[in-house]
Amino acid sequence: MASAASAPPTPASLPRIVAASLIGTTIEWYDFFLYGSAAALVFNKLFFPDSDPLVGTLLSFLTYAVGFAARPLGALVFGHYGDRLGRKKLLVLSLLMMGGATFAIGLLPTHASVGAAAPVLLTTLRLIQGFALGGEWGGAVLLVSEHGDARRRGFWASWPQTGAPAGQLLATGVLSLLTALLSDDAFGSWGWRIPFLLSGVLVIIGLWIRLSVDESPVFKEALARAESRQADDPEKLPVVAVLRHQWRDVLVAMGARMAENISYYVITAFILVYAVASAGVSKQTALNAVLIGSAVHFAVIPAWGALSDRIGRRPVYLFGAAGIGLWMFPFFALVDKGSFGYLVVAVTVGLVLHGAMYAPQAAFFAEMFATRMRYSGASIGAQFASVAAGAPAPLIATALFDSYGDSTLISVYVIAAVVLTLIAVAVARETRHRDLADVTAGDGARDAASPAAEARTA
C-alpha cells in the first residue's frame, strides 16, 4: 500500500499544482531568456558602445554568463532553506527576486546616460536574476514530483520543464513583435525596455497562482519525522548531508546537464549571432525560427516525459544526448544555407532532441535524492553544472566563430559535452520505479528498482 505521503493527489489539485510550478518557471525563464536575446541584439550597443561590434557582443554575453555564476549560490541557499522550511515559501521568494530584477533592467540608464555605471548596474541585476533562478528550478520540479502520481511522475514533472520553451517562446515572441513593429532606431532607443517592464505584470499573475497551492505532502511527512527524532539524532545541514552521502548522484546530475545545457544555448542564443553574421539572415528571421522551434519544443516535452514513464528515464535521456551529437554538423550546414525554411528545420529538430534530455530530467533528478536533501541535491547538481555548461556556451561559441570563421569547432565543442553526458547517464541507475517517500540517503548509489519498490509504487 502506498504511504500517505506518496498517495496521489486529488484530480482537481494536481493540475493546480502543475499550473503553479509552470507559471513560475515560465515567468522566470522568460526573464532569463529575454536577457539572453537582448544581449545578442542590443545590449552590445547600449552598454558597450566603445567596442568593436563582435567584441561588444562578447562583452554582452559575458554579463549573460555572470548570471550563471550566481546560480550555484542560489542553489545552495534556496536548497538549504527549501529542505528546511519547504518548497512553496522559497518558490515565492525566487519569483519576486527574478521579476523585480527584470523589471529594474527595463528602467536602467544606458552607457550614453551614466557611462561606466550602466554595465555595472546591468551586471548587478543579472547576478540577482541568476541567484533567483538557481533556486527556482529545483523547487518547481520537486513540488510537482512530490505531489504527483508515481506511475506518471515523468509526465507530470515534465510540465515545469515546459516553462523553459514557454519562457523562450514568450520572450522571443515579444522581441520579434517589437522588432517587426518598430524601426531599429526606436527599438534601440526605448522599445527594448517594454519586454522587461512587462515582467511586473507576469509576476503578479504568478504569485496569485503560486500562493494558492499547498506544501508537498512528502516533504511535510519527512519534516514531521525529522522533528520527532531531532533531540536524539540532530539533523545535519542538507548540503553537508547530500555531499557526504550522495555525492555520486550529484556528479551524475552534473554530467547529465552538460550536453543538455550547452546545446540549448547554442541553438537558441548563439544562433541569433551566427545566423546574422554567417548566413546573412535578418534578426527578425532568426527570431522567428527560434519562435517556431520553441513552440514545437513546448509540445514535445510532455510526450518525452510520458515515454520515460514507460521505458525509463535513462533510455530517453541517452537518445536525446546521442541525437544532439549527431545533429550538430547538419544543424550548422542548414543554417549556412541562409533560408528561413532550413533555419526552422535546424532549430526545431535540435530542440526536439534537446527535449528528450530535458523532459525526464526533472523526475530523474528528484528520484535520485532523499526527501530532506532533495532540494539541495537536485539544485546543486543542476546549477553547478550550468556554470561550466550554459554560462560560457554562447561566449565560447562566439569566440570560436570569431577566431576561425566557421562552425566546425563549435560542433566539436557540443559533441564533447555530449560524450560527458552519455558517460554520466550510462553509469547512473534507472530511477522510475522509486517511491519518493522511501528514498533514503545512499539510495542513489544502488539500484532501488527492486520488486519491493515496484510493489510499493503499484
Side-chain angles (χ1 to χ4, degrees):
M1 181 180 294
S3 67
S6 57
T10 64
S13 66
L14 187 54
R16 187 173 68 251
I17 293 161
V18 171
S21 293
L22 175 57
I23 189 69
T25 54
T26 297
I27 293 169
E28 301 225 12
W29 283 113
Y30 165 81
D31 295 347
F32 209 73
F33 289 137
L34 181 62
Y35 190 103
S37 297
L41 297 173
V42 296
F43 280 177
N44 58 333
K45 300 173 184 176
L46 297 173
F47 294 93
F48 307 99
D50 298 330
S51 304
D52 172 85
L54 196 55
V55 173
T57 300
L58 283 169
L59 292 172
S60 185
F61 274 142
L62 185 60
T63 64
Y64 178 72
V66 162
F68 285 85
R71 285 165 69 170
L73 180 59
L76 290 172
V77 174
F78 279 83
H80 170 82
Y81 288 104
D83 282 328
R84 286 295 179 92
L85 304 177
R87 288 53 166 128
K88 176 181 172 179
K89 296 182 180 68
L90 275 296
L91 285 174
V92 170
L93 179 60
S94 70
L95 185 62
L96 287 171
M97 290 182 66
M98 174 66 87
T102 304
F103 186 83
I105 289 175
L107 301 175
L108 272 184
T110 63
H111 190 279
S113 301
V114 297
V120 172
L121 292 171
L122 180 68
T123 303
T124 301
L125 292 173
R126 181 60 175 170
L127 284 168
I128 295 173
Q129 278 190 324
F131 181 83
L133 189 57
E136 163 69 23
W137 181 85
V141 300
L142 294 187
L143 194 65
V144 177
S145 296
E146 292 178 344
H147 273 95
D149 178 359
R151 291 171 296 181
R152 304 186 67 197
R153 186 181 297 126
F155 171 74
W156 289 115
S158 71
W159 278 101
Q161 300 292 75
T162 64
Q168 177 77 69
L169 190 66
L170 192 58
T172 306
V174 171
L175 284 172
S176 181
L177 180 63
L178 289 172
T179 55
L181 295 177
L182 301 176
S183 66
D184 287 345
D185 289 341
F187 182 77
S189 175
W190 55 269
W192 66 272
R193 298 181 183 274
I194 295 174
F196 289 94
L197 297 177
L198 284 175
S199 180
V201 177
L202 297 175
V203 167
I204 293 172
I205 298 171
L207 282 174
W208 176 68
I209 297 176
R210 188 161 274 187
L211 287 170
S212 69
V213 302
D214 196 11
E215 183 55 78
S216 152
V218 172
F219 173 80
K220 288 194 290 188
E221 184 174 296
L223 179 62
R225 288 197 305 266
E227 289 175 345
S228 67
R229 64 172 184 264
Q230 185 71 19
D232 299 325
D233 184 19
E235 209 174 19
K236 295 181 176 64
L237 294 176
V239 65
V240 174
V242 78
L243 293 178
R244 178 179 178 183
H245 297 291
Q246 296 194 256
W247 59 269
R248 293 179 181 85
D249 300 295
V250 172
L251 291 179
V252 166
M254 291 176 66
R257 284 275 282 172
M258 297 303 290
E260 176 267 308
N261 221 218
I262 289 174
S263 65
Y264 188 78
Y265 290 106
V266 168
I267 292 170
T268 60
F270 172 69
I271 193 65
L272 299 178
V273 175
Y274 182 84
V276 174
S278 178
V281 303
S282 67
K283 290 186 295 186
Q284 182 70 40
T285 299
L287 282 169
N288 288 342
V290 174
L291 190 66
I292 294 171
S294 296
V296 176
H297 195 209
F298 179 91
V300 301
I301 283 178
W304 286 123
L307 183 62
S308 78
D309 286 326
R310 295 181 64 86
I311 67 174
R313 319 298 182 213
R314 291 172 67 250
V316 176
Y317 212 116
L318 289 169
F319 173 81
I324 280 289
L326 294 172
W327 183 244
M328 287 319 297
F329 281 108
F331 171 81
F332 283 109
L334 289 172
V335 174
D336 287 337
K337 291 182 179 295
S339 163
F340 176 67
Y342 284 123
L343 189 58
V344 169
V345 171
V347 172
T348 301
V349 173
L351 289 178
V352 168
L353 293 169
H354 172 271
M357 293 183 284
Y358 200 54
Q361 188 180 97
F364 190 30
F365 288 8
E367 291 159 348
M368 288 182 184
F369 299 99
T371 301
R372 292 289 282 160
M373 59 183 78
R374 185 170 291 135
Y375 202 143
S376 295
S379 297
I380 291 170
Q383 304 307 334
F384 273 69
S386 69
V387 176
L395 190 64
I396 291 172
T398 303
L400 290 172
F401 179 56
D402 184 35
S403 299
Y404 297 96
D406 63 30
S407 61
T408 303
L409 288 182
I410 302 171
S411 297
V412 172
Y413 164 56
V414 177
I415 292 170
V418 166
V419 172
L420 290 176
T421 292
L422 290 173
I423 293 172
V425 178
V427 302
R429 298 287 189 178
E430 181 55 60
T431 62
R432 71 185 175 107
H433 291 303
R434 290 181 180 170
D435 185 338
L436 293 185
D438 290 340
V439 178
T440 58
D443 276 354
R446 61 183 181 268
D447 187 4
S450 63
E454 292 189 37
R456 284 194 302 272
T457 301

